[in-house]
Amino acid sequence: MIKKKSREEIKLMKTAGRIVALVHDEMKHVVRPGISTYELDKIAHDIIRDNRAIPTFLGYHGFPATICASINEQVVHGIPSKDVILQEGDVVSIDVGATYRGLVGDSAWTYPVGEIKPEVQKLLEVCEASLFAGLNTIKNNVKLDDMSGAIEDVVNANKMGIVRQYGGHGVGRNMHEDPFIFNYRCGSNVILKTGMTIAVEPMVNLGCDDVYVLEDEWTVVTRDGLPSAHFEHTVAVTDDGYEILTKL
Ligand code: MG
Ligand code: MG
């Protein structure tokens, strides 16, 4: 069942989303060669706690950290570690959620570490562009499938891979609510309505679509070992568009 949110709930989600955006704003500055993903996790944890929120991911189905930090061929759900030190030329996807007074904000971004290869830079640009192509279709009474299709069209036009096994979701009092949001057309009959809050999150691969989960039972990696990118915002559907909740 898709739960529409009240004005008051959306206000709280904006606060949660602002805290998530504060984390990303800091990541922009601290992601650099030589820092470990453990240190990034600690920075994120402190920002969320300092703002009287709860790290949503920590303990979620047993996940052991505040952020997911997924490097290069890792798509999502990478576990932060003291042993994972960022290197020049890497990309790191950081996904983070904060819960404020019971409501969740969820946003991911892929960061370059120093100088990256032009084709990887292009991957980041295409993934971010696909997110906004999807978001820009959103308003009251639009078909969710049309939003998914707008994401797919950008990725296809650039001959990159779309992760099929994972997608976006409704979000609110729980991190994962209905509907599931595909990043490609799949014939969903969901109609977006004012007051729905959703996390839209294309995962785009430089190579093939296919991914699998490592033995740690969390980290999702590309089948062909080529890099992946992940951009996500939590948004509220409005009468004539959408409002990004995970921003400063
Ligand atoms: Mg997320
Ligand atoms: Mg999400």
Side-chain angles (χ1 to χ4, degrees):
M1 196 189 77
I2 300 173
K3 295 176 205 134
K4 284 198 227 170
K5 298 347 181 254
S6 66
R7 272 171 199 278
E8 182 59 26
E9 286 173 315
I10 290 174
K11 217 176 127 191
L12 292 172
M13 286 182 73
K14 268 168 103 163
T15 304
R18 192 179 155 276
I19 296 164
V20 166
L22 283 172
V23 172
H24 280 298
D25 198 48
E26 186 62 19
M27 292 298 137
K28 268 190 282 195
H29 300 294
V30 297
V31 166
R32 61 174 185 272
I35 196 166
S36 71
T37 54
Y38 170 86
E39 289 169 275
L40 298 178
D41 189 70
K42 190 171 174 346
I43 291 165
H45 187 271
D46 289 348
I47 291 170
I48 292 171
R49 283 296 185 187
D50 288 347
N51 284 278
R52 298 188 189 83
I54 297 165
T56 313
F57 296 3
L58 185 60
Y60 187 82
H61 293 284
F63 189 76
T66 293
I67 61 169
C68 297
S70 310
I71 293 184
N72 299 335
E73 77 284 2
Q74 299 176 353
V75 180
V76 288
H77 306 164
I79 300 171
S81 165
K82 287 179 180 169
D83 298 331
V84 179
I85 314 284
L86 299 181
Q87 313 282 339
E88 179 85 20
D90 286 344
V91 288
V92 58
S93 299
I94 295 176
D95 194 354
V96 59
T99 305
Y100 181 78
R101 291 176 58 194
L103 286 128
V104 176
D106 181 12
S107 173
W109 221 251
T110 302
Y111 298 88
V113 183
E115 285 278 310
I116 60 173
K117 288 184 190 163
E119 66 264 33
V120 182
Q121 181 61 41
K122 179 80 178 166
L123 168 70
L124 270 48
E125 288 166 14
V126 168
C127 188
E128 185 174 2
S130 75
L131 168 62
F132 281 93
L135 293 180
N136 287 335
T137 67
I138 294 177
K139 61 180 178 180
N140 189 36
N141 287 326
V142 159
K143 284 184 197 156
L144 180 60
D145 208 41
D146 289 344
M147 195 214 58
S148 298
I151 293 171
E152 180 180 20
D153 289 346
V154 170
V155 181
N156 286 346
N158 287 281
K159 300 188 169 56
M160 292 181 183
I162 302 172
V163 175
R164 311 266 161 181
Q165 293 100 315
Y166 298 86
H169 48 92
V171 54
R173 294 205 173 269
N174 299 291
M175 179 158 62
H176 293 128
E177 300 183 350
D178 288 339
F180 185 80
I181 301 179
F182 294 89
N183 289 312
Y184 55 96
R185 283 179 196 84
C186 71
S188 161
N189 59 7
V190 170
I191 306 290
L192 294 172
K193 295 285 182 188
T194 297
M196 286 184 187
T197 48
I198 56 176
V200 181
E201 50 179 313
M203 287 145 257
V204 177
N205 299 341
L206 200 52
C208 70
D209 296 349
D210 197 25
V211 300
Y212 67 98
V213 181
L214 294 183
E215 273 175 13
D216 65 12
E217 296 184 347
W218 281 107
T219 314
V220 178
V221 297
T222 55
R223 181 69 64 187
D224 58 14
L226 291 175
S228 186
H230 182 205
F231 286 79
E232 175 185 33
H233 270 307
T234 297
V235 305
V237 180
T238 64
D239 290 344
D240 52 8
Y242 65 95
E243 183 178 13
I244 294 178
L245 304 179
T246 36
K247 64 172 193 190
L248 293 179

